[in-house]
Amino acid sequence: MLNKRTKMALWLILSATLVLKLAVVLLLIPKLTEYLPYTIGGFVDRYDNIAENLLSGNGYRIYPDTSETLLRSPGYVLLLTGLFYLFGKSLAAAQVINILFGLATAYIIALITRQWVMPRSTSPDGGGNIEWAPLFPAMLFLFYPGIILAETRGGVESFFILLLTSLVFFLYRLICFNRTRDYVVAGVTLGLTMLVKSTPALIPLAFFPYLLLRAKSVGVTRVSVVTNFAAMGLAALIVLTPWGLRNYGLTGDFMLTSTVKGTTAHQGLYVNKHFGSGRDRDPLLIEATDQQSAIADELGIKHLHGFFNVFYSVKDE
């Protein structure tokens, strides 16, 4: 247990960190916006458009006259909808919630570090000294330039990083304790993370063989691993089901992810193919989107051209 002096020191560090982050994100970075080649200081990736249409009663769509969309998963959209409802379309509110997400992520990083490191670094006097080890990776995360820039904009990154770090923490716990409830909590966290971005869907494919291979060495039966892993998958599926059922009603296909993957895959492939052409990434991405729009025109698909094309029929996505 931490003594009173230690707790006071940690609270002072936390308060100073929060004030410094607020000053950097809300005051300093906006002054440097014109010098930074990065999309900061605004809402991005169409999440705000969908949130505004939800609040206006137009449904889950990017523009009032276009179709309902599967372009973006609902996790961050619903968060923005709640913020817009409470504060209006306020970038400052999104930035503050990003900073709070960052602090929560740093805390989870500290917990993970404590699990790995503290048994070796705890002082023999029963905790009389401050346990500094978890603070270093947490502070490194909080003041990493990429994290600070992500916090300046109304984007999905801070929320996704928090959920992904939480998933790592709960996966570590189920490895340590092998309890069914830890698998279920990890499954719920996996489902929530996939509602923000679907990339963690591949984690179980690698994680399950690892659990089977280590089962005998830790005195766990493979039957229990399979049972617990099934509970984890079921928990994730339950979380994702409302989104999947909604998508099934629109398209006739049971889709648990978003439709943006094909667009981004095409753009990435185009950039990689032309990487040695001497042109920067951004002009290549614009060329890729122009090519996607030309393909839609050839197919006779009605759409609005943009970095992500917007369609008038959800099945065209």
Side-chain angles (χ1 to χ4, degrees), residues 227-302:
T227 303
N228 287 335
F229 196 81
M232 174 181 167
L234 180 60
L237 183 62
I238 291 173
V239 173
L240 291 167
T241 293
W243 173 247
L245 290 176
R246 177 260 183 185
N247 296 341
Y248 181 81
L250 289 174
T251 66
D253 296 317
F254 192 69
M255 298 179 62
L256 297 178
T257 60
S258 63
T259 55
V260 75
K261 300 182 299 301
T263 299
T264 53
H266 175 270
Q267 292 173 352
L269 180 61
Y270 187 92
V271 170
N272 287 330
K273 279 186 174 180
H274 298 85
F275 188 74
S277 64
R279 287 169 291 172
D280 291 335
R281 186 200 65 163
D282 289 348
L284 290 174
L285 284 174
I286 293 174
E287 290 179 17
T289 59
D290 289 341
Q291 187 181 82
Q292 291 171 343
S293 184
I295 293 172
D297 288 335
E298 290 176 6
L299 296 173
I301 296 175
K302 185 180 179 182

Side-chain angles (χ1 to χ4, degrees), residues 35-98:
Y35 306 107
L36 293 172
Y38 188 72
T39 306
I40 64 175
F43 293 97
V44 295
D45 297 337
R46 311 282 194 183
Y47 290 104
D48 56 315
N49 296 88
I50 303 174
E52 286 181 298
N53 276 297
L54 280 175
L55 278 180
S56 300
N58 297 322
Y60 199 92
R61 64 186 78 238
I62 294 174
Y63 298 113
D65 61 333
T66 57
S67 69
E68 291 203 48
T69 184
L70 281 65
L71 186 68
R72 293 296 179 191
S73 300
Y76 188 63
V77 172
L78 295 179
L79 173 67
L80 274 187
T81 303
L83 287 179
F84 290 177
Y85 178 79
L86 293 173
F87 305 106
K89 191 175 181 180
S90 169
L91 178 63
Q95 291 171 327
V96 170
I97 201 71
N98 284 343

